[in-house]
Each structure stands twice: as structure tokens, then as C-alpha cells.
Amino acid sequence: ATMGERAATKIEADALLVRVGAYYHDIGKLTQPHMYIENQSEGVNPHEDLDPKTSAALIQEHVIQGVELARHHRLPPQVREFIPEHHVTRLATYFFRKASRSNPDLEPGPFTYAGPRPQSRETAIIMMADSCEAVVRSSNRRDVETIDRLVDAVINERLSEHQFDDCDLTLRQLHTIGDSFKVTLQGVYHPR
């Protein structure tokens, strides 16, 4: 939320909407919290006993469940949009790669989120913030150069995948957002 809000302010997007969207973008995880690594404090990962296709379907389910929860609790439409748009039309990459090891000709369809791609600058910011934070958190190195490289890689990858084609972000704004993320993440992971 803080990363997104700061970046939104820098490009004069709706910073409050970004913060609120960040709070709600993963509410679907509430239906099966044990399926997500951030909630597996005892080291028990149920995905170890599942085939990758089933795991991908369960992970993708948090988007569907999130939209249902948001409607049920009457969240405003502009907040609900963050839920399906934060994973865009990307692969559940980990599970696709795992399944591809035994079947190199595997079709990506069952491992692909339904999307849509971000329809607004605000949902695009959270899509990027969510990915950048996860990539940096999972990295073994978090020095300034590594954080810069990881943030740039995430944004460039989304750009090459045409994930920004349905929103009105400019290249200059993407650069500004990336710089803002870098400052925030460097502050979080700065050695003390």
C-alpha cells in the first residue's frame, strides 16, 4: 500500500484509491490462507502433495473468491477492479515450470490468470508493486543494485508482455513509478 501510494502521488494518480486497492487486492486468500507461502509459518506447504495444475488452479482461485467477497461485502467497483487486474494475464509461473519439467509441450492455458490487464493507472501500479515487492522479498540479495535491477526487470517484463496496453500510463510514468518503488524498497531493506 505504501509503495503504491507513494508512486501514485509521484504521477498524480489517485493515491488514496491505490492504497485502498492494495488493502483489498488479495482478499480472496482469506478463503484458503494455508495455500499461500506467506501464511505457512510452520513450514507445511500443501502444494508439495499436489500436482502443479491443481496447485495453479487453487492459487488462481483467490482472484475468483476475492471478486465474490468484494461483491458480497459491497466494495465499490473501482476497488473491486484491483482484484482481477493485479495478476493480469500472466502465468502462475512456478507451477507452470514445475509441470513443464515432465511435459515440455504443456499448454499454458490452465496456468494463466484470466485477467484482465490493468484498465487504470491505479490498478497497474498495484500490479507492479505486488510483483516488485514479491521478487525483492524472495531474493537472496537486497543491496541497492540488486533492488534496482529487480524492479527494472519486473516493469520491463510487464511492458514486453503488453500488460499496460489498456491503461493510460506513459513510459515516463513507468520510469517514475519504478524509481519510487526502488526508493521504498531500499528503505525497507536498508541494512542497519
Side-chain angles (χ1 to χ4, degrees):
T2 300
M3 270 178 63
E5 183 180 41
R6 287 179 179 173
T9 299
K10 297 272 187 193
I11 66 162
E12 298 179 2
D14 188 335
L16 179 59
L17 178 59
V18 168
R19 178 171 280 284
V20 174
Y23 289 154
Y24 287 101
H25 79 281
D26 268 340
I27 62 168
K29 290 182 177 182
L30 292 171
T31 61
Q32 296 186 77
H34 64 286
M35 299 307 275
Y36 304 93
I37 193 78
E38 64 268 24
N39 299 320
Q40 296 169 1
S41 61
E42 295 180 22
V44 177
N45 185 342
H47 296 287
E48 292 174 6
D49 298 326
L50 299 172
D51 67 276
K53 190 174 178 181
T54 300
S55 289
L58 288 167
I59 294 297
Q60 292 167 339
E61 181 89 5
H62 88 277
V63 173
I64 297 161
Q65 294 295 323
V67 170
E68 288 178 17
L69 280 168
R71 281 193 185 118
H72 176 77
H73 292 286
R74 298 188 195 122
L75 291 181
Q78 61 268 43
V79 174
R80 288 195 312 249
E81 291 167 358
F82 285 84
I83 299 166
E85 294 177 23
H86 83 279
H87 278 295
V88 293
T89 55
R90 302 203 74 239
L91 280 174
T93 308
Y94 174 81
F95 297 113
F96 179 72
R97 287 181 183 153
K98 186 175 178 182
S100 294
R101 287 185 211 126
S102 60
N103 180 4
D105 299 323
L106 185 66
E107 290 295 320
F111 297 88
T112 304
Y113 285 93
R117 296 183 297 212
Q119 304 295 300
S120 68
R121 295 181 300 168
E122 291 79 10
T123 58
I125 289 169
I126 290 304
M127 177 264 293
M128 290 182 284
D130 191 48
S131 296
C132 288
E133 188 277 331
V135 166
V136 171
R137 182 176 15 95
S138 67
S139 175
N140 292 333
R141 294 184 55 207
R142 296 188 188 115
D143 56 89
V144 171
E145 294 80 17
T146 301
I147 289 172
D148 287 356
R149 183 178 47 77
L150 292 172
V151 169
D152 287 341
V154 167
I155 293 173
N156 289 332
E157 184 177 54
R158 301 306 176 275
L159 188 60
S160 72
E161 295 169 346
H162 300 276
Q163 297 294 350
F164 303 112
D165 287 3
D166 297 336
C167 65
D168 61 351
L169 281 172
T170 66
L171 290 174
R172 182 176 304 215
Q173 289 171 327
L174 285 173
H175 182 74
T176 301
I177 291 165
D179 286 347
S180 177
F181 288 172
K182 291 171 189 176
V183 169
T184 302
L185 289 165
Q186 289 164 7
V188 169
Y189 293 110
H190 179 62
R192 288 172 176 78

